[in-house]
Amino acid sequence: SPGEKKLALLFILVGFAHLLIGVVMGLLQGLEHAGLDLFPFIPALKSYYQALSIHGVFNVLLFTTFFIVGFLGFAASHGFERPLASVKLAWVNFWLMLAGALLTDWALLTNQASVLFTSYAPMKAHPTYYIGLAIVVVGTLLLLLNLVLTYLAWRRERPGERIPLLPFGALVTMIMWGMASVGVVVEFVFFLIPWSLGWIAEVDPLLTRTFFWESGHPIVYFWLLPAYMSWYFLLPRQAGGKLFSEPLARLAFLLFIPLSLPVGFHHQFLDPGVSQGWKAIHAVLTFGVFIPSMMTAFTVLASVETGGRARGGQGLFGWIRTLPWGDPSFTGQALAMVLFALGGASGLINASYTLNLEVHNTLFIPGHFHLTVGTAVALTFMAMSYWLIPHLTGRDLWSRRLGLVQVVLWFVGMTFMSRGMSWAGILGAPRRTMLGASPYLQPTWDVPLQLVAIGGAILTTSAVLYYWNLVATLASRRRTADVEVPLAEPLEGRGLLPRYLDRFAPWVVSGALLVLIGYGPTLVRLLTNMQTVAAPLLRPF
Ligand code: HAS
């Protein structure tokens, strides 16, 4: 309905507004690393760490979450061919999340929350920072509630029918995130918020970090799965082809529910106080969550190939040439995938327990996540917006050519920047450090850090082009006939599908069990060691 389209648009625009500020902070950081420190010239910014905190929270927490909530609500109601169960709840959710985001923005912009996006204690932020983020998380859970209610209403109307692909992807994403969010909810509600308000005197950094990473790794799949929804269910149609295998696609999505949850210790390989045995188990499970992404690489590439061949492409690689490279939405997503393959490879390096000792807390890690969340996710969301915003507004995209240049520049900029970061990281350059001012700057870091700055400048140019096109599209009077949602058909038709690929319960139960096994013993030990209310209750275990 027009109301729901408007709501989705508002969510998405709030997300992109945050990305805009985050990108500007990114440029300042990149230049600082290369020796050009502009921070003293910007009175609003009190320190490098304030800018870095704004960059992280705005880009990976607020941009992503607002885009995702807007897109998933829209995708579910479009796929179910009915309005959300409660459109009123969806509007309440928007205002609630906006209020939460504004609280967090205020704390960050006034330099009262320079604690970086991981919110690690004992660095303490103003209470509004934690409360605002907690409200945003509650908003995501309200979306989950609304999606489940919509699913139940649809099921009553269409008993026995298989869940359509778009809502299926939206439900998997939100069920996974609903389970994953428990850690960060406990961390914020029982520890960080009371501590920041002065109600409790101290918190245990190891315990809060453990709760954080219980949610903090799966959150990357909360960001990634909506991009996967586009790659699997929409991109093949944009390429002129079909989804290569519906069962494989569903299996890959469902595998993320159990496999993305019990892997958080791979962020804590170097934390004392977590036993090596549990770290090793999480390392092995991390290799498990690699599998659905490898399945994705195969299925999506095969789906896109059906498009290239349907357009007349022949031979082993001839189909690549005939793909619609003039379409910024297609090209942006294809380029995002190419860099994601490198992001996956660097993820494997991080996940390898021993190799992690070499790269942990170095610039190699930002090198990894600018390829994953910074490209696979952010570039895909921008590329999707080239059809989604015209669809939601009824206004024609202002310039396809500008869009094309923008996505190519993002790809080139990120290639330079992530290469520079990974290279400097392997040479020992630390992350989260004002490198330009450090007394231990190594001559060998010079060239890689120049690459970071060059990449940052290209990325900023790309961002300027993106916002130019976005604003011009929103302001344009050029109306377009309804831009369709490019929903792909499965190649093999809608044949028989095993029931377990259309049910959530077995995956949810196995996910819950894996979390209990993977985290239970460590959490019980950490909680009983503390002077918490829970300690006497947990001691018998
Ligand atoms: Fe990660 C740290 C391991 C995926 C984000 N990661 C981070 C941090 C972030 C992040 C933000 O094990 C930093 C947190 C912090 O601040 O401390 N990560 C992995 C592994 C994967 C992985 C194994 N990460 C992601 C994704 C992210 C993300 C996705 C965001 C969206 N990561 C780690 C580890 C650390 C870590 C350690 C901690 C390091 C430390 O020491 O602190 C895997 O899920 C990756 C699987 C991906 C693939 C690639 C599949 C390729 C596809 C594309 C194919 C298309 C092609 C071409 C080839 C297997 C699907 C198409 C061409 C056409 C023509 C169409």
Side-chain angles (χ1 to χ4, degrees):
S1 69
E4 280 178 288
K5 280 186 174 176
K6 188 172 162 194
L7 180 62
L9 181 69
L10 284 175
F11 267 116
I12 289 169
L13 292 182
V14 173
F16 275 114
H18 280 92
L19 181 69
L20 175 61
I21 300 174
V23 164
V24 175
M25 301 297 134
L27 174 68
L28 295 175
Q29 284 151 218
L31 294 178
E32 192 283 332
H33 282 354
L36 181 61
D37 183 7
L38 296 180
F39 288 105
F41 303 101
I42 304 171
L45 290 176
K46 302 289 175 253
S47 75
Y48 168 83
Y49 290 99
Q50 183 192 4
L52 187 57
S53 302
I54 296 173
H55 179 67
V57 175
F58 277 36
N59 287 0
V60 303
L61 299 183
L62 297 175
F63 158 58
T64 50
T65 305
F66 273 85
F67 183 96
I68 291 166
V69 173
F71 173 63
L72 293 193
F74 163 79
S77 89
H78 181 84
F80 280 137
E81 295 173 357
R82 68 182 318 287
L84 289 174
S86 173
V87 178
K88 201 181 277 177
L89 176 64
W91 276 103
V92 170
N93 196 10
F94 173 73
W95 293 114
L96 189 74
M97 282 180 64
L98 184 64
L102 289 175
L103 284 178
T104 300
D105 296 352
W106 176 78
L108 281 162
L109 295 171
T110 53
N111 194 29
Q112 298 183 77
S114 300
V115 295
L116 311 182
F117 85 96
T118 38
S119 305
Y120 283 152
M123 290 191 289
K124 196 196 273 185
H126 191 275
T128 50
Y129 168 79
Y130 302 113
I131 294 170
L133 282 182
I135 293 175
V136 172
V137 173
V138 169
T140 60
L141 300 179
L142 289 181
L143 172 72
L144 170 62
L145 175 68
N146 216 346
L147 291 191
V148 171
L149 293 176
T150 312
Y151 163 65
L152 294 175
W154 172 86
R155 191 40 96 211
R156 278 194 296 276
E157 289 161 8
R158 317 245 187 127
E161 225 177 87
R162 119 177 22 161
I163 307 171
L165 287 171
L166 275 180
F168 172 82
L171 278 162
V172 170
T173 308
M174 291 313 300
I175 289 171
M176 185 281 296
W177 170 241
M179 294 173 76
S181 63
V182 174
V184 84
V185 168
V186 172
E187 184 198 14
F188 274 50
V189 173
F190 294 107
F191 297 98
L192 297 186
I193 292 177
W195 176 58
S196 67
L197 288 166
W199 296 346
I200 53 176
E202 55 190 38
V203 291
D204 174 351
L206 178 60
L207 179 66
T208 47
R209 279 163 78 96
T210 305
F211 277 122
F212 180 84
W213 287 118
E214 194 265 325
S215 306
H217 191 76
I219 202 176
V220 311
Y221 302 114
F222 168 67
W223 305 329
L224 182 70
L225 287 181
Y228 273 14
M229 282 169 65
S230 179
W231 296 357
Y232 272 109
F233 308 142
L234 305 172
L235 190 69
R237 170 78 171 266
Q238 292 179 289
K242 295 191 171 183
L243 168 59
F244 179 73
S245 164
E246 181 177 349
L248 258 185
R250 285 182 187 256
L251 181 61
F253 267 86
L254 288 166
L255 280 173
F256 275 105
I257 297 181
L259 293 180
S260 56
L261 298 171
V263 294
F265 287 153
H266 72 219
H267 292 266
Q268 295 180 269
F269 282 153
L270 280 168
D271 281 17
V274 178
S275 85
Q276 287 186 358
W278 286 114
K279 288 176 184 172
I281 289 170
H282 280 227
V284 172
L285 289 168
T286 305
F287 290 113
V289 74
F290 200 72
I291 293 168
S293 286
M294 291 309 292
M295 290 164 62
T296 304
F298 171 77
T299 315
V300 171
L301 209 56
S303 307
V304 169
E305 182 181 342
T306 65
R309 294 207 183 280
R311 292 166 164 271
Q314 283 175 355
L316 205 52
F317 299 114
W319 58 272
I320 298 179
R321 201 174 31 81
T322 51
L323 289 169
W325 295 111
D327 172 4
S329 181
F330 173 83
T331 304
Q333 296 183 66
L335 294 177
M337 279 194 253
V338 173
L339 285 192
F340 186 51
L342 298 178
S346 55
L348 263 196
I349 293 173
N350 298 342
S352 308
Y353 198 168
T354 42
L355 278 180
N356 184 274
L357 304 179
E358 191 66 31
V359 295
H360 182 67
N361 273 343
T362 70
L363 266 184
F364 189 86
I365 306 302
H368 159 71
F369 68 68
H370 280 87
L371 293 172
T372 50
V373 65
T375 307
V377 174
L379 182 55
T380 296
F381 288 178
M382 286 189 251
M384 285 166 70
S385 74
Y386 285 135
W387 68 262
L388 185 55
I389 301 242
H391 175 83
L392 295 175
T393 57
R395 291 167 207 271
D396 215 0
L397 179 63
W398 189 69
S399 169
R400 279 165 68 92
R401 188 168 296 176
L402 201 63
L404 204 57
V405 176
Q406 183 267 316
V407 295
V408 172
L409 282 182
W410 194 273
F411 174 81
V412 174
M414 213 45 113
T415 307
F416 271 96
M417 199 173 86
S418 67
R419 178 68 194 122
M421 285 176 160
S422 312
W423 186 1
I426 288 174
L427 295 174
R431 70 183 283 202
R432 297 181 156 180
T433 303
M434 206 171 166
L435 286 175
S438 71
Y440 49 80
L441 201 68
Q442 303 294 316
T444 49
W445 301 348
D446 276 356
V447 177
L449 291 181
Q450 297 298 335
L451 289 186
V452 173
I454 294 170
I458 300 174
L459 281 165
T460 311
T461 314
S462 167
V464 169
L465 299 188
Y466 179 78
Y467 285 98
W468 178 2
N469 216 352
L470 178 69
V471 172
T473 303
L474 292 173
S476 155
R477 288 169 188 220
R478 227 170 55 209
R479 295 271 155 187
T480 171
D482 198 21
V483 174
E484 62 157 11
V485 179
L487 195 57
E489 283 288 310
L491 186 63
E492 74 273 30
R494 312 221 77 204
L496 274 181
L497 187 84
R499 279 174 70 85
Y500 66 89
L501 293 182
D502 206 36
R503 295 281 178 275
F504 302 113
W507 309 92
V508 170
V509 172
S510 49
L513 280 176
L514 277 177
V515 173
L516 273 182
I517 296 168
Y519 275 102
T522 307
L523 279 178
V524 167
R525 188 172 50 76
L526 292 177
L527 281 165
T528 42
N529 282 350
M530 266 193 78
Q531 298 301 315
T532 61
V533 189
L537 301 172
L538 288 169
R539 226 150 259 148
F541 298 97

